[in-house]
Amino acid sequence: MPNITAPSGDTLPRYNIFLGYSYFNAHGQVEPFNLPYTSIPAGGIVSGAYFFTHHVGAEASFVLHHGTGDNGSNNDGFDSLSVGPIVRFPVQNFTPFVHALFGAGAIVGPNNDGAQFEHEPWTWGPAYTVGGGLDYDTPLWGRRISVRVIQADFRYSHADFGTPYTGSIPDFQTAFLGGTVGLKGVDLSAGVVIHPSGESWKAVMTYGCEVTVPTGPIYPGDIVTITGTAGQMNPKKDANYTWSAQGFPVSGTSDVVSVNTQALAPGTYTVRGHVSQGNKPYEMADCTTQFTIRNFDPPTVSCSANPSNVNPGESSTITANGVSPQNRPLHYSYSATAGTVSGNTSTATLATDGAAPGSTITVTCDVVDDRRQTASQTASVMIAAPAPPPPAATASSLCSISFSRDARRPTRVDNEAKACLDDIALSVQRDPQSKLAVVGNAADGENMGDHKAAERAVNEKAYLVGEKGIDASRISVYTGTDDARSATTTLIPAGASFDSSGLNAVDEGSVRPTPREPLPAARHRRK
């Protein structure tokens, strides 16, 4: 805000004469007799001041404080004559002031009249005064009379009454006691201030200026409005306004001027204003104010991909959301680590042709404003990898059947083999595309071993087909070279291979399966 002082009226008087009542609250005592002084309610004050400038002047003051003794003589008295500087601070109809005065003071007393001794005589000594007050300006006598509402001063004076009396009190009749005193106290006064001369200090014109628009941050291109406020102007004269600045032109002839910041770089600038109503010093005033141009805040951007997971060759939509804090125009661009991106608005399309399956494409979204300030953000697009091929099917061995328990029928599938055959049937039923390879074997030296081996394989197949309902085309039978009366079974899933090297395929047309009927009951001879 502009700093404007408003003195009372258009002028400030050069001369002041103050006439008033004074009350002195005295403190002190004559030493070495410890005779105290009391307050003096009856007093008067007269002072005169001359001001060299609007605020600073010199003042002379004379104060009378005469107390009244018990027998009617004056006692407990203090008078002073002092001079010093005075400073005033006029505001509207009031004029506060402060002063510091130095001079001499005359002290008498204290009030101890009686038959035995007299008070001390009037004695001069150094004195000083520090204080201030408040005047209220009135329209009386052409604004030449003011009322001093209050004046409060601290006064101090020292007096030496001579060699202290050392005789007995009864012998002391007319001589003074002597001794010293340091008298101090607060002096309160009030009265009338007269300005006897029409000679006055003209009120100095004041001028303050400030940026009124915009009220927030200033950016290049904004129009800055500066308003000047003048005080203590003569309403009968026209005012002339001029403006200037360092580094750029400013023109205006009123109390308001506008500055176009379009060509100004970010920084702080000072504007000076001048107002005048004449050529005299008090008829003109100056002001200064500053404004700071901020650089535009850079834009921000977010970047997303939809979908973010695609199959090779599929496309994804890239969306960029750019924001300029000062609403500057934005331009969009895109780049990608693989594939191609097309589009220059807030949306673009990522084509994934040529991108490796299982890889991740990083797409960068860029925005730039008209001040070449940029922002970037990225989004990721995953290229799906093809499903791995199923593991290669492999043949697996199932349980084996032993044919060693029935010597009379060494190729027959007995009841003990059924548990193994039932498990084999379940395995082949679980995988309808699978097949079985049954290999029959014979022990070394076994009579007609090759034929028995073939019968064992055929009998197992007969059980699986006849008892378990397995399609006969799914079962191949062979003879092997293992040294055992057994039959082994291999499960062959679809796509798996069975190694039949060293095996001989059984000619099922020449080898018939052995029925599973039980042996006939034995006959007993009669004796």
Side-chain angles (χ1 to χ4, degrees):
M1 295 296 293
N3 184 11
I4 299 175
T5 303
S8 173
D10 297 331
T11 62
L12 293 172
R14 286 181 181 268
Y15 301 96
N16 286 347
I17 297 176
F18 170 49
L19 302 173
Y21 162 80
S22 177
Y23 169 83
F24 185 53
N25 182 20
H27 293 275
Q29 57 188 18
V30 178
E31 301 294 350
F33 307 106
N34 298 326
L35 297 175
Y37 283 80
T38 60
S39 297
I40 308 173
I45 181 171
V46 58
S47 65
Y50 174 79
F51 286 90
F52 307 107
T53 69
H54 293 81
H55 302 286
V56 180
E59 181 182 24
S61 175
F62 181 63
V63 182
L64 298 170
H65 297 100
H66 287 188
T68 302
D70 294 339
N71 59 2
S73 64
N74 292 332
N75 211 337
D76 288 287
F78 171 66
D79 299 341
S80 70
L81 177 63
S82 55
V83 296
I86 181 172
V87 181
R88 62 183 174 183
F89 310 94
V91 178
Q92 295 182 352
N93 294 325
F94 292 90
T95 304
F97 66 90
V98 295
H99 56 196
L101 309 177
F102 305 89
I107 304 174
V108 67
N111 188 2
N112 288 292
D113 289 342
Q116 295 179 339
F117 58 90
E118 296 293 336
H119 58 75
E120 305 287 17
W122 285 99
T123 304
W124 290 87
Y128 66 83
T129 300
V130 176
L134 176 67
D135 294 342
Y136 172 70
D137 303 329
T138 73
L140 301 176
W141 194 25
R143 305 180 65 89
R144 295 184 182 180
I145 295 180
S146 299
V147 176
R148 182 150 296 177
V149 180
I150 183 67
Q151 178 175 319
D153 296 312
F154 175 80
R155 300 186 187 276
Y156 177 83
S157 183
H158 177 81
D160 187 349
F161 299 118
T163 303
Y165 175 75
T166 58
S168 62
I169 294 301
D171 295 335
F172 179 74
Q173 297 295 328
T174 60
F176 298 109
L177 290 175
T180 61
V181 65
L183 189 65
K184 58 182 178 295
V186 175
D187 188 356
L188 300 177
S189 56
V192 177
V193 180
I194 301 173
H195 316 297
S197 171
E199 183 179 5
S200 305
W201 283 102
K202 292 289 186 181
V204 177
M205 183 183 296
T206 59
Y207 197 35
C209 51
E210 64 173 337
V211 175
T212 54
V213 176
T215 58
I218 301 172
Y219 298 95
D222 287 345
I223 303 298
V224 177
T225 301
I226 300 172
T227 302
T229 304
Q232 303 307 318
M233 298 181 69
N234 188 341
K236 298 179 181 180
K237 290 186 177 183
D238 294 332
N240 297 315
Y241 297 90
T242 58
W243 298 90
S244 64
Q246 184 176 5
F248 61 96
V250 178
S251 60
T253 57
S254 70
D255 58 351
V256 179
V257 68
S258 295
V259 178
N260 189 338
T261 64
Q262 184 66 45
L264 300 182
T268 299
Y269 297 87
T270 300
V271 177
R272 298 173 179 84
H274 178 78
V275 60
S276 65
Q277 289 186 307
N279 296 323
K280 296 180 180 180
Y282 58 81
E283 293 181 318
M284 60 184 67
D286 297 292
C287 71
T288 60
T289 189
Q290 291 183 327
F291 63 87
T292 300
I293 301 177
R294 287 178 48 180
N295 202 351
F296 289 107
D297 295 325
T300 59
V301 66
S302 62
C303 188
S304 61
N306 185 28
S308 58
N309 292 275
V310 298
N311 294 318
E314 293 180 346
S315 62
S316 176
T317 299
I318 308 301
T319 302
N321 182 21
V323 176
S324 170
Q326 285 77 51
N327 296 318
R328 308 302 304 176
L330 298 176
H331 175 72
Y332 292 84
S333 61
Y334 302 87
S335 61
T337 56
T340 56
V341 185
S342 58
N344 58 7
T345 64
S346 60
T347 60
T349 300
L350 170 67
T352 64
D353 297 334
S359 64
T360 299
I361 299 177
T362 300
V363 180
T364 302
C365 304
D366 296 304
V367 294
V368 58
D369 62 16
D370 59 344
R371 294 281 172 168
R372 310 188 74 83
Q373 298 184 109
T374 63
S376 298
Q377 193 56 267
T378 61
S380 297
V381 178
M382 299 288 296
I383 308 301
T394 58
S396 59
S397 297
L398 301 180
C399 58
S400 298
I401 302 174
S402 175
F403 291 87
S404 300
R405 288 178 292 271
D406 191 346
R408 296 179 60 187
R409 292 174 295 183
T411 62
R412 177 178 178 271
V413 175
D414 59 18
N415 289 336
E416 292 186 12
K418 290 176 61 178
C420 174
L421 294 174
D422 290 344
D423 288 340
I424 293 173
L426 286 174
S427 297
V428 75
Q429 287 168 352
R430 291 191 191 102
D431 185 1
Q433 303 300 319
S434 62
K435 295 184 177 182
L436 291 176
V438 179
V439 178
N441 297 288
D444 289 345
E446 187 176 1
N447 185 32
M448 299 180 65
D450 290 339
H451 185 75
K452 286 183 172 64
E455 283 186 342
R456 289 165 182 158
V458 170
N459 286 337
E460 178 178 337
K461 178 178 179 179
Y463 177 86
L464 292 173
V465 172
E467 298 291 334
K468 295 299 181 180
I470 305 301
D471 188 348
S473 64
R474 298 175 62 187
I475 304 174
S476 300
V477 289
Y478 302 88
T479 59
T481 59
D482 289 349
D483 179 15
R485 294 180 174 89
S486 65
T488 60
T489 306
T490 301
L491 179 67
I492 309 169
S497 60
F498 175 69
D499 184 9
S500 60
S501 58
L503 303 179
N504 295 312
V506 175
D507 181 7
E508 296 182 55
S510 60
V511 179
R512 297 290 182 178
T514 303
R516 295 188 67 248
E517 290 84 359
L519 289 173
R523 295 181 179 180
H524 300 280
R525 293 182 178 180
R526 295 181 179 177
K527 292 184 178 179

